[in-house]
Amino acid sequence: MRLEVKDIRKSFGEKEVLHGVNFQVVSGKALGLLGRNGAGKTTTIRILMDVFHADKGEILLDGRKFNPAKHQIGYLPEERGLYPKRTVMDQMIYLATLRGMKTAEAKGSAAKWLERLEVSEYADRKLETLSKGNQQKVQLAATLVCNPEIVILDEPFSGLDPVNSQILKDVVNELIADNRLVIFSSHQMSYVEEFCDNIAIIDHGQVVLAGELKEIKREYGRNRLILATQDDSLEALAEKTEKEWGELVSISGRKKEFLILELREGTDRKDFMERLVRSDVEVEKFGSYEPSLNDIFVSKVGEEG
Amino acid sequence: MKKFTTVLKFELKEYLGNKTFMILTVLLAALGAILLFLPRFVDMSGFTGVTVMEKETSGDEEKAEEEKDLFLYLDQSAIVREEVLEAVFPEVKWQKAADEAEVIAAVESQEAEAGFVVTGPGSYEYYVFNKTMADHNTAGFDQAMKAFYRMDTCEKNGWDLEEIAAMYDIPVTVTENVLNKDSESNYWYCYFLVILVFMLIVYYGQMIAVSVTNEKSNRAIEVLVTSTSPNSLLFGKVIAGAIAGVFQMGVVLGAVLIAYQMNREQWGGMLDMLLHIPGEVLLAFAFFGLGGYLFYAFLYGAMGALVSKTEDISKSVSGLMMVIMIVYFFSLLQLTNIDGEIIRVLSFLPVSSYSTMFARIAMGTVAPWEIILSFLILAVSTGAAGILGAKIYRMGTLRYGNPIKITTALKSLKKSE
């Protein structure tokens, strides 16, 4: 399956909050939908789920207009919520039957997912009596109880300890391996890097960066180098770089242990290496810069905030 | 429709599986029934006017004779007749005193409960040790004094007292033939049922609003709106709340009506004006009362969707509550003018027909076309309230934070259309 979101626009009152959102996601490959708070991720997801209607644009599934009511969708919202005073099993069955399952089938599926997420012993307990982590796992079980073809997970790891995070990681990997279409929204970039082949970064209601994560990283690392010396502090090194090699490179960032340099146009890596060798600095670290998703995210949306 | 049924079942289970709700229902029903069974087991003749308990044996009666209070009297004008005193004061043992000092001494020593010194045909003195709030002895003695005077005067003039009494107290027999409605006897049913439906609307309406807001405050709505339509959700929730309300009220009212029916004789029919409700009045109540209840239940549901915290509900429903209160007071005030123009107009408005049309059916003159038209208006308005409620619900469900004003919500809906 290929889900395409094309030029989605949405206004609340006079204010346009989405200014033409575009991205696509295919089965068996997760998409990381990223953005700062208030960027428009949740509104986009709600339009996708037909909770809000878009003012313009379209959503296509395999080239045809997407109708969420005709597909099983599992949605884990960022704002978690089930019924605190009802039993776990009761609400699992309720949500499954609301999504079209028969009661017997819903019971079986609920039992399966509670077992998989290691919370089956709480099936007959009221939700409010469970710990926050277990409530979170029940919420995920409720998302998956209808065996969805499309899974939308909004901050699924928040509130989970490392052991529970591992269980959830395994489940997400299984979903991807099972050829489900997964949209994964999170601020924890390490998880996105772990699961997602593609990303879309939304900022102020528009997609500012989208594509294959590997390619994006390669593109961001191109013409960028890292440099650290043994004797100079980073401040001293930065000063020296600007003074002595300023016509070859510019400083594009700094980390705790090294500077990130960008080659100026017309300069190649070899030119800069030669100048370095000729200088009196003792190089400690030198190489190609491999940006993390966090770096890409911050460089793309961080400055404006 | 299937999803509506799923929501309805789940929400109904919320009410019927709630121990507090069920215990309260059973307790209220039991309490009502027990109160109505009381005259079977407890002598309430003083209240009901019906003696149910058997009298004890004659030995006890003799004993009761010994236990009668002692009253002394002194007749200074030779007018007192003891048989009259015994008739007026059946629980009293009368004893003639020799002089006023004996009367005072007996009362002071509390040997006698009270003493009377008749000083003239129209005057007497009353002696009592401590006068209680419930002391009505002078009223009884006044009555006896009047009887003494009449008897004495008749005797002196040779008149027949019985003839004169018969002339003054001629019995009048009336047979009432009410050809349409007896407003006087139906008034109290209506009063009772208007209050009942008012309570139903306010109490359960509030419960429905809380149930809608709860889903926003616990964020369950986030998952629900992506699983089914807002129409299924709101209709399911409201109708489940309405059924729960009717169930609770039905069980309590049913228990009270059945218990009264079983004990009507023991009550001497004294609660007929409230609890012996004719079938056609109950039928009108079922259609109009429940129709109005459902109409307001949808509006309460919509008001619940406008706020995110349960503590904001009272603010959100205040406008609706005002309408309900105005209708309630107008309905009760207009019951005494059941065929007036105001109640006639009110009986066609969906906000007030639930009480006024059903009151007109019970007490006034109303043409069949008026009943049908009024019910159609109520039914259509209830459907419209449901659709409007669902739209407000859809718009308000995912908006958290400050309460949304109803005017803002309506403007927003108008704009989106």
Side-chain angles (χ1 to χ4, degrees), chain A residues 12-14 46 49-53 75 77 79-86 90-91 94-95 97-102 139, chain B residues 2-4 6-7 9-11 13-15 215 218-228 233 237 394 398-400 415:
Chain A
F12 289 117
E14 300 298 316
R46 283 177 180 167
M49 303 288 295
D50 204 25
V51 176
F52 294 156
H53 300 305
Y75 173 46
E79 297 275 7
R80 310 281 190 263
L82 289 172
Y83 296 89
K85 301 211 178 288
R86 302 295 289 263
D90 239 13
Q91 42 200 321
Y94 176 51
L95 291 171
T97 46
L98 268 188
R99 291 178 201 152
M101 275 188 160
K102 293 206 165 100
Q139 182 97 39
Chain B
K2 199 183 159 204
K3 290 189 174 180
F4 159 75
T6 307
V7 178
K9 274 190 203 162
F10 184 77
E11 292 294 334
K13 203 176 165 190
E14 173 87 33
Y15 290 105
E215 276 181 354
N218 65 27
R219 301 291 197 261
I221 195 71
E222 291 274 341
V223 177
L224 291 174
V225 289
T226 56
S227 305
T228 185
L233 283 173
K237 287 187 86 64
R394 184 189 170 98
L398 294 174
R399 293 197 188 177
Y400 305 112
K415 207 177 257 181

Side-chain angles (χ1 to χ4, degrees), chain A residues 8-11 16-21 39-41 43-44 47 202 204-206:
Chain A
I8 294 293
R9 288 171 185 273
K10 173 75 185 170
S11 298
E16 190 176 76
V17 292
L18 296 183
H19 319 289
V21 170
K41 298 186 302 287
T43 306
T44 305
I47 289 173
I202 299 181
H204 291 102
Q206 55 193 349

Side-chain angles (χ1 to χ4, degrees), chain A residues 120-182:
Chain A
S120 54
E121 70 263 43
Y122 307 119
D124 296 322
R125 294 254 300 265
K126 283 185 182 172
L127 188 74
E128 65 184 357
T129 63
L130 272 58
S131 69
K132 200 182 166 197
N134 283 331
Q135 287 191 22
Q136 169 85 334
K137 289 204 280 181
V138 169
Q139 182 97 39
L140 188 75
T143 305
L144 302 173
V145 69
C146 61
N147 294 322
E149 312 153 66
I150 300 170
V151 183
I152 301 172
L153 305 172
D154 202 349
E155 289 294 351
F157 289 94
S158 73
L160 290 184
D161 63 32
V163 176
N164 283 327
S165 294
Q166 189 54 51
I167 295 170
L168 182 51
K169 272 187 205 174
D170 295 343
V171 170
V172 175
N173 279 323
E174 283 164 24
L175 291 170
I176 296 168
D178 203 24
N179 214 30
R180 316 281 175 109
L181 198 151
V182 178

Side-chain angles (χ1 to χ4, degrees), chain A residues 22-275:
Chain A
N22 292 284
F23 61 82
Q24 55 177 295
V25 53
V26 291
S27 301
K29 285 187 174 181
L31 170 84
L33 190 61
L34 311 174
R36 300 182 65 185
N37 296 328
K41 298 186 302 287
T42 305
T43 306
T44 305
I45 290 172
R46 283 177 180 167
I47 289 173
L48 196 66
M49 303 288 295
D50 204 25
V51 176
F52 294 156
H53 300 305
D55 301 333
K56 257 184 122 182
E58 57 181 355
I59 298 170
L60 304 174
L61 187 72
D62 293 331
R64 289 182 186 170
K65 193 171 186 292
F66 175 56
N67 181 357
K70 289 187 177 165
H71 299 272
Q72 284 293 13
I73 304 176
Y75 173 46
L76 178 76
E78 185 181 6
E79 297 275 7
R80 310 281 190 263
L82 289 172
Y83 296 89
K85 301 211 178 288
R86 302 295 289 263
T87 66
V88 168
M89 187 51 102
D90 239 13
Q91 42 200 321
M92 294 274 291
I93 293 171
Y94 176 51
L95 291 171
T97 46
L98 268 188
R99 291 178 201 152
M101 275 188 160
K102 293 206 165 100
T103 310
E105 195 189 352
K107 270 185 194 169
S109 181
K112 182 186 99 179
W113 282 108
L114 290 175
E115 180 76 40
R116 177 66 192 88
L117 288 156
E118 300 181 12
V119 279
S120 54
E121 70 263 43
Y122 307 119
D124 296 322
R125 294 254 300 265
K126 283 185 182 172
L127 188 74
E128 65 184 357
T129 63
L130 272 58
S131 69
K132 200 182 166 197
N134 283 331
Q135 287 191 22
Q136 169 85 334
K137 289 204 280 181
V138 169
Q139 182 97 39
L140 188 75
T143 305
L144 302 173
V145 69
C146 61
N147 294 322
E149 312 153 66
I150 300 170
V151 183
I152 301 172
L153 305 172
D154 202 349
E155 289 294 351
F157 289 94
S158 73
L160 290 184
D161 63 32
V163 176
N164 283 327
S165 294
Q166 189 54 51
I167 295 170
L168 182 51
K169 272 187 205 174
D170 295 343
V171 170
V172 175
N173 279 323
E174 283 164 24
L175 291 170
I176 296 168
D178 203 24
N179 214 30
R180 316 281 175 109
L181 198 151
V182 178
I183 296 176
F184 186 91
S185 174
S186 178
H187 292 124
Q188 289 164 286
M189 301 297 166
S190 58
Y191 289 120
V192 179
E193 284 190 280
E194 197 168 338
F195 300 124
C196 301
D197 296 305
N198 298 294
I199 60 160
I201 298 178
I202 299 181
D203 189 37
H204 291 102
Q206 55 193 349
V207 175
V208 290
L209 185 66
E212 203 179 334
L213 183 56
K214 258 188 206 167
E215 188 54 41
I216 289 170
K217 278 190 170 187
R218 195 176 302 135
E219 185 60 36
Y220 257 72
R222 185 179 293 166
N223 292 335
R224 289 185 190 196
L225 305 164
I226 61 166
L227 177 66
T229 55
Q230 268 186 350
D231 302 325
D232 300 312
S233 67
L234 285 185
E235 282 74 26
L237 181 61
E239 206 175 307
K240 189 177 277 183
T241 304
E242 277 171 3
K243 212 164 141 187
E244 296 184 16
W245 312 309
E247 76 277 16
L248 300 176
V249 291
S250 63
I251 298 167
S252 74
R254 64 179 66 189
K255 293 279 172 181
K256 196 178 167 193
E257 293 171 344
F258 55 83
L259 290 180
I260 303 165
L261 308 176
E262 189 166 1
L263 293 168
R264 293 201 185 274
E265 224 177 300
T267 311
D268 62 20
R269 185 182 293 224
K270 203 176 149 196
D271 299 336
F272 182 54
M273 278 174 76
E274 282 172 359
R275 287 286 289 275

Side-chain angles (χ1 to χ4, degrees), chain B residues 44-104:
Chain B
M44 291 172 65
S45 53
F47 178 64
T48 61
V50 179
T51 306
V52 179
M53 306 288 286
E54 292 292 325
K55 283 278 176 200
E56 296 299 326
T57 59
S58 57
D60 288 334
E61 276 175 25
E62 279 167 23
K63 196 180 165 190
E65 181 71 24
E66 285 164 16
E67 285 175 359
K68 281 181 176 177
D69 293 333
L70 178 68
F71 282 14
L72 261 61
Y73 73 94
L74 175 66
D75 185 7
Q76 291 176 342
S77 61
I79 196 171
V80 174
R81 293 159 194 254
E82 205 160 302
E83 70 273 15
V84 174
L85 288 176
E86 280 166 359
V88 177
F89 295 92
E91 303 294 320
V92 172
K93 186 180 167 186
W94 289 94
Q95 188 181 307
K96 198 170 181 178
D99 53 30
E100 195 166 349
E102 187 189 341
V103 173
I104 295 167

